């Protein structure tokens, strides 16, 4: 069984958007005989690439969800996850890398290291994922693999070593020279399936020898035997392969390959290096926490004879119920087994076990350590750990970034609001970076996510998959009102009807609480001008007026009410009368307190390359922000901290990305409430008056 595990590779294909990940995966599937025809992303034949199975993906030509598949190459079983490149779908990359043992970092031969390449690199480091680099698009005008390799060293601080040099670039790109075998590889045939191994072209011999010297220098650091062999001029291919594998598995070496997936060049040698250098499940140390022993860390060996432990890393709600993608870390999982969810302590029976190929599935009877498979009909959440019940272990879940942008949504047709609820329920379960809630103040349904494209895709899916088109808008900012100065009141409530009437008088003053945001009430009544039993009713009356201010209809905060005078009637006074008197007193006095509108101010932290520091500050100043401080982080990264009104933060994610070439990120949290400037206050009051008039007209 151990020898079988040595033949397993779990790899991800990650990159910046539009670097050719899905195109590369399509070629890999073709050369491993998993598919028998190549289809292109946004293909003219209407089929689209195998891994982009959603209609939206085919139309937009982008990957939205990560898709799993598997294939065989040189007697090795390779599980592959193709991940999205767009920063809005970063959770798909995050959860794929959480369960993978190795990865291919795809780079564009022209654009090189781009913003999302940096994000993916950070994610790979977080989960300690060894990688190979594939410089794609060498057939494009301006392609320069040497420059891209240097960027891997400079920008990502990787020990990148070219294992091949290209034969021709741009429209003359024909193949690659392998620096280990010192042979030239040419790719012929309609789909590049015929590989010609030939001598190195004469004009490339010197360049190949120099590149091999550099490669051996870098690789020999990972093998004493290879170093000795170089000195004795007795280098063998096996020694180089062993040294490269040592460096890759130790996360200290990134072999670089070149080619053009679209033109079917360079994919097969890349596959050879995947099975040769990337780790098997046996080479990777996976850990969990023992829930029975103070959450002590324990190692989970990839041993099929040990108790079963698996991690659910992705959910997909399909037509036939929930599909749960899992990675088996230890033990064996059989169809019909009972498994336990470590978080909920619930028992589930494995009714159906499948191996995924994009959106198609193949039923299997058993899954072993190191396998990536899927379960049907198991109710769980993303990041849950399953065991066979004999041990109580949980695995660390993945890092989930906080949402950065919000919209309010409402169904265009009230009849479909049930469908909207179902869609939101499903999307929230599937995607931890997508949130949905109802704002208690405005009653609006708010959705939050990683960017405008992210939310745009979900609103489009609601219309297509749930027949529920929605209208989106900016969510309402949670303004507040407060009193600006002390003012006195003396209000009498009198109502005479048949029988006993209502009578109550309250006197006192209202003042702001310094730096406070709540409501305070105190009684300074001397004598019994207001009987003690009515004081709670007075407080209740004033408190009820805090829910909706009279300037723009938002809650009133930071108010202190002191009652020091009043009058009761032996027959006509009651709790109800004193509540009404308190409400009347507040309405009458509120305008005399010079009330103020408050707005929420957010603490904003922008992080990104130092070269854009001036740009970050500019984007903050344009939004009424105040910069509190800047600091240099490790490397070429900087951090800018500021306070910005929430009302001016809508659309900031998109602006910041375009201003920083997509390289900057930001986090935001509530800081405090402050008074709005006079012009904003006037605007808000006018809008409130307009809405009130509109409501009166409707009535």
């Amino acid at each position: 069984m151990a020898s079988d595990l040595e033949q397993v590779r779990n790899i991800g294909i990650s990159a910046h958007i539009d670097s050719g990940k899905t195109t590369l995966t399509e070629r890999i599937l073709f050369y491993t005989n998993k598919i028998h025809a190549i289809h292109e992303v946004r293909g003219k034949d209407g089929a689209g690439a195998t891994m982009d199975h959603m209609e939206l993906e085919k139309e937009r030509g982008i990957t939205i969800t990560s898709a799993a598949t598997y294939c065989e190459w040189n007697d090795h079983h390779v599980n592959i996850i193709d991940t999205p490149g767009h920063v809005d779908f970063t959770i798909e990359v995050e959860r794929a890398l959480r369960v993978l043992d190795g990865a291919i970092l795809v780079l564009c031969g022209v654009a090189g290291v781009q913003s999302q390449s940096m994000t993916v690199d950070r994610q790979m480091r977080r989960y300690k994922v060894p990688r190979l680099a594939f410089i794609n698009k060498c057939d494009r005008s301006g392609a320069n693999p040497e420059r891209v390799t240097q960027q891997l060293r400079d920008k990502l601080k990787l020990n990148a070593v070219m294992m091949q040099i290209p034969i021709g670039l741009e429209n003359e790109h024909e193949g690659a020279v392998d620096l280990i075998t010192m042979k030239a590889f040419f790719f012929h045939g309609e789909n590049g399936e015929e590989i010609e191994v030939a001598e190195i072209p004469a004009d490339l011999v010197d360049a190949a020898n120099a590149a091999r010297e550099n490669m051996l220098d870098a690789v020999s650091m990972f093998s004493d035997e290879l170093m000795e062999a170089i000195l004795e001029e007795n280098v063998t291919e096996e020694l180089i392969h062993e040294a490269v594998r040592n460096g890759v598995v130790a996360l200290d070496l990134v072999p670089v390959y070149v080619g053009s997936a679209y033109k079917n060049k360079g994919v097969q040698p890349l596959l050879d290096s995947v099975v040769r250098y990337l780790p098997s499940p046996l080479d990777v140390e996976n850990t969990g926490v023992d829930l029975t022993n103070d959450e002590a860390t324990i190692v989970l060996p990839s041993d099929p004879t040990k108790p079963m432990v698996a991690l659910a890393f992705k959910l997909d709600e399909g037509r036939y119920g929930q599909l749960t993608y899992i990675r088996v870390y230890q033990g064996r999982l059989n169809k019909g087994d009972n498994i336990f969810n470590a978080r909920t302590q619930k028992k589930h029976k494995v009714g159906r076990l499948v191996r995924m190929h994009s959106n198609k599935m193949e039923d299997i009877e058993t899954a072993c350590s190191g396998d990536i498979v899927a379960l049907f009909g198991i109710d769980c959440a993303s990041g849950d750990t399953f065991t066979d019940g004999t041990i109580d272990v949980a695995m660390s879940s993945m890092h989930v970034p906080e949402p950065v942008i919000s919209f309010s949504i409402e169904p265009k047709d009230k009849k479909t609001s049930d469908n909207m609820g179902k869609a939101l329920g499903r999307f929230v379960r599937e995607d931890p970076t997508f949130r949905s809630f109802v704002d208690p103040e405005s009653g609006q349904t708010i959705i939050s996510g990683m960017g405008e494209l992210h939310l745009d895709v979900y609103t489009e899916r609601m219309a297509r998959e749930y027949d529920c088109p929605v209208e989106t808008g900016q969510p309402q900012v949670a303004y507040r009102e407060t009193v600006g100065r002390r003012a006195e009141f003396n209000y009498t409530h009198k109502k005479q009807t048949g029988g006993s009437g209502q009578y109550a008088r309250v006197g006192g003053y209202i003042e702001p609480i310094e730096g406070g945001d709540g409501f305070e009430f105190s009684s300074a009544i001397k004598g019994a001008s207001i009987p003690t039993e009515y004081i709670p009713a007075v407080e209740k009356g004033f408190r009820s007026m805090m829910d909706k201010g009279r300037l723009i209809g938002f809650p009133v905060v930071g108010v202190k009410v002191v009652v020091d005078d009043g009058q009761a009637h032996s027959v006509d006074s009651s709790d109800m009368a004193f509540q009404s008197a308190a409400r009347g007193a507040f309405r009458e006095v509120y305008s005399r307190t010079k009330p103020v509108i408050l707005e929420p101010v957010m603490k904003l932290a922008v992080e990104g390359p130092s070269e854009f520091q001036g740009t970050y500050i500019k984007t903050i100043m344009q939004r009424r922000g105040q910069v509190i401080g800047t600091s240099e982080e490790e490397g070429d990264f900087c951090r800018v901290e500021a306070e910005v009104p929430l009302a001016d933060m809508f659309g900031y994610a998109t602006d910041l990305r375009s201003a920083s070439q997509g390289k900057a990120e930001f986090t935001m949290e509530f800081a405090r409430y402050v008074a709005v400037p006079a012009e904003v206050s006037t605007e808000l009051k006018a809008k409130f008056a307009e809405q009130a008039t509109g409501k009166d007209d409707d009535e």
Side-chain angles (χ1 to χ4, degrees):
M1 188 53 77
S3 65
D4 289 352
L5 273 177
E6 279 174 8
Q7 312 296 309
V8 173
R9 298 289 180 273
N10 292 315
I11 66 161
I13 298 182
S14 304
H16 184 88
I17 190 166
D18 216 17
S19 298
K21 298 175 299 301
T22 304
T23 305
L24 175 63
T25 311
E26 191 80 358
R27 299 311 185 271
I28 288 174
L29 296 177
F30 178 77
Y31 297 135
T32 56
N33 295 318
K34 191 72 194 168
I35 57 174
H36 303 295
I38 290 175
H39 296 291
E40 301 306 338
V41 176
R42 273 197 182 136
K44 294 192 176 83
D45 56 5
T50 307
M51 303 303 275
D52 285 350
H53 55 81
M54 279 171 63
E55 284 303 317
L56 264 175
E57 292 180 313
K58 290 174 186 173
E59 280 174 28
R60 294 180 181 233
I62 59 169
T63 303
I64 292 170
T65 61
S66 52
T69 187
Y70 64 97
C71 56
E72 304 287 332
W73 183 257
N74 289 356
D75 300 325
H76 285 71
H77 178 92
V78 184
N79 290 313
I80 301 174
I81 298 184
D82 174 32
T83 61
H86 200 286
V87 65
D88 285 17
F89 308 110
T90 190
I91 189 65
E92 293 289 335
V93 187
E94 196 81 42
R95 55 178 158 206
L97 291 175
R98 170 67 185 83
V99 298
L100 293 170
D101 302 325
I104 300 172
L105 178 61
V106 184
L107 300 139
C108 172
V110 183
V113 172
Q114 294 166 275
S115 59
Q116 195 62 7
S117 321
M118 294 179 176
T119 306
V120 168
D121 175 66
R122 283 209 291 270
Q123 290 168 321
M124 288 180 183
R125 287 174 195 268
R126 185 178 292 136
Y127 300 114
K128 298 183 172 62
V129 178
R131 74 209 74 166
L132 309 175
F134 180 65
I135 299 176
N136 193 21
K137 303 191 178 183
C138 288
D139 59 313
R140 288 275 185 93
S141 177
N144 186 341
E146 284 187 18
R147 189 190 74 233
V148 179
T149 306
Q150 193 56 46
Q151 286 181 351
L152 285 170
R153 297 181 194 124
D154 297 342
K155 292 190 174 183
L156 301 184
K157 305 290 186 275
L158 295 173
N159 183 15
V161 178
M162 292 186 81
M163 309 303 287
Q164 300 173 329
I165 59 168
I167 301 173
L169 285 170
E170 302 181 355
N171 56 4
E172 293 172 7
H173 180 56
E174 295 179 81
V177 173
D178 185 304
L179 300 177
I180 296 179
T181 60
M182 289 303 275
K183 295 286 184 191
F185 286 73
F186 297 94
F187 303 88
H188 305 300
E190 191 184 340
N191 295 309
E193 63 271 45
E194 296 166 22
I195 302 173
E196 178 197 342
V197 181
E199 293 304 314
I200 301 171
D203 59 333
L204 283 176
V205 169
D206 291 345
N209 283 326
R212 180 179 163 92
E213 286 286 318
N214 291 337
M215 182 270 290
L216 287 175
D217 264 1
V219 170
S220 61
M221 303 300 292
F222 304 101
S223 166
D224 294 341
E225 287 176 59
L226 177 60
M227 207 172 269
E228 282 174 29
I230 292 170
L231 295 172
E232 294 167 9
E233 295 187 357
N234 184 26
V235 176
T236 64
E237 289 176 26
E238 281 67 35
L239 281 174
I240 300 175
H241 291 323
E242 186 190 338
V244 173
R245 190 168 204 275
N246 292 342
V248 171
V249 172
L251 302 169
D252 291 329
L253 181 70
V254 178
V256 178
Y257 296 84
V258 298
S260 166
Y262 184 64
K263 292 288 173 67
N264 311 311
K265 290 177 172 53
V267 178
Q268 297 95 321
L270 179 67
L271 269 171
D272 288 339
S273 61
V274 164
V275 299
R276 200 174 273 147
Y277 304 136
L278 287 180
S280 74
L282 294 172
D283 300 314
V284 179
E285 184 179 279
N286 296 300
T287 58
V289 293
D290 187 346
L291 299 176
T292 59
N293 183 19
D294 289 336
E295 300 201 351
T297 302
I298 55 169
V299 175
L300 300 172
S302 294
D303 184 343
T305 61
K306 295 260 172 126
M308 196 280 297
V309 180
L311 177 74
F313 67 94
K314 176 177 160 70
L315 309 181
D316 206 343
E317 289 267 356
R319 201 176 302 160
Y320 309 111
Q322 182 172 299
L323 185 66
T324 306
Y325 288 76
I326 62 164
R327 157 84 193 253
V328 183
Y329 281 96
Q330 179 180 283
R332 178 192 286 277
L333 180 64
N334 301 305
K335 185 177 170 181
D337 281 358
N338 286 322
I339 56 174
F340 291 82
N341 186 327
R343 180 178 61 87
T344 63
Q345 295 298 312
K346 282 186 182 169
K347 183 167 87 169
H348 303 276
K349 190 179 176 72
V350 179
R352 193 175 172 200
L353 192 60
V354 295
R355 203 180 286 289
M356 299 302 296
H357 172 48
S358 186
N359 60 336
K360 300 181 181 67
M361 53 193 77
E362 170 195 328
D363 280 278
I364 55 173
E365 293 299 315
T366 185
C368 199
S369 307
D371 252 338
I372 292 175
V373 292
L375 305 170
F376 250 116
I378 303 281
D379 185 28
C380 68
S382 188
D384 281 355
T385 304
F386 290 107
T387 67
D388 60 2
T390 60
I391 52 172
D392 199 3
V393 169
M395 301 201 66
S396 64
S397 190
M398 63 221 83
H399 167 77
V400 178
E402 285 300 307
V404 296
I405 188 168
S406 300
F407 288 155
S408 65
I409 58 166
E410 60 176 317
K412 287 183 179 173
D413 180 355
K414 292 285 182 265
K415 292 176 196 159
T416 58
S417 59
D418 283 353
N419 288 7
M420 186 175 93
K422 282 180 197 160
L424 291 175
R426 170 190 164 185
F427 298 151
V428 166
R429 283 166 67 85
E430 283 183 12
D431 183 349
T433 58
F434 178 77
R435 314 274 169 88
S436 165
F437 64 95
V438 175
D439 187 322
E441 285 179 25
S442 65
Q444 293 176 316
T445 300
I446 308 291
I447 55 173
S448 307
M450 300 308 294
E452 286 177 24
L453 177 64
H454 189 207
L455 298 183
D456 188 27
V457 162
Y458 278 120
T459 53
E460 188 132 346
R461 285 181 67 186
M462 280 182 218
R464 290 181 185 216
E465 296 171 30
Y466 287 87
D467 191 25
C468 176
V470 294
E471 286 175 346
T472 61
Q474 284 192 356
Q476 205 173 47
V477 174
Y479 290 105
R480 294 285 182 268
E481 297 181 24
T482 190
V483 294
R485 66 177 189 185
R486 174 173 161 152
E488 295 183 352
F489 59 84
N490 188 354
Y491 184 82
T492 305
H493 171 70
K494 241 195 252 186
K495 204 171 186 184
Q496 197 60 49
T497 53
S500 63
Q502 287 186 16
Y503 180 86
R505 180 171 74 80
V506 290
Y509 59 89
I510 286 180
E511 64 181 3
I513 301 172
E514 274 303 312
D517 59 358
F519 169 76
E520 285 180 20
F521 176 84
S522 67
S523 167
I525 297 287
K526 291 183 176 67
S529 54
I530 298 179
T532 314
E533 67 265 25
Y534 293 137
I535 299 295
V538 177
E539 180 179 353
K540 192 174 178 184
F542 277 112
R543 198 177 280 279
S544 69
M545 298 303 286
M546 298 299 116
D547 293 341
K548 202 168 184 183
R550 304 186 57 77
L551 283 182
I552 57 170
F554 278 87
V556 182
V557 296
V559 174
K560 182 177 182 180
V561 176
V562 179
V563 175
D564 56 13
D565 190 18
Q567 195 176 356
H569 187 276
S570 56
V571 177
D572 292 348
S573 288
S574 64
D575 274 8
M576 186 69 75
F578 273 100
Q579 277 188 47
S580 297
R583 287 198 288 269
F586 183 80
R587 285 191 203 100
E588 184 192 75
V589 77
Y590 191 54
S591 57
R592 297 204 305 274
T593 65
K594 293 276 174 71
V596 177
I597 300 170
L598 303 175
E599 64 180 346
V601 165
M602 311 304 283
K603 189 175 173 187
L604 174 74
V606 179
E607 289 181 342
S610 302
E611 60 189 291
F612 297 108
Q613 186 170 334
T615 312
Y616 308 149
I617 293 171
K618 189 178 170 189
T619 62
I620 290 164
M621 305 301 269
Q622 285 168 341
R623 292 169 180 268
R624 295 196 288 130
Q626 285 187 321
V627 176
I628 296 168
T630 60
S631 60
E632 289 289 328
E633 300 285 305
E634 55 188 89
D636 298 328
F637 265 62
C638 75
R639 179 182 172 94
V640 178
E641 293 187 353
E643 288 190 343
V644 191
L646 177 63
D648 288 66
M649 285 305 290
F650 296 118
Y652 184 65
T654 310
D655 285 359
L656 181 65
R657 279 181 198 152
S658 56
S660 65
Q661 298 172 14
K663 295 176 184 174
E665 297 172 348
F666 75 94
T667 54
M668 191 167 72
E669 59 181 297
F670 174 74
R672 62 184 194 281
Y673 274 97
V674 299
V676 300
E679 66 274 15
V680 177
S681 177
T682 308
E683 201 180 298
L684 289 168
K685 287 179 198 168
K687 199 183 284 182
F688 179 65
E690 197 180 300
Q691 285 172 347
T693 312
K695 275 183 191 166
D696 293 345
D697 292 347
D698 290 345
E699 284 165 14

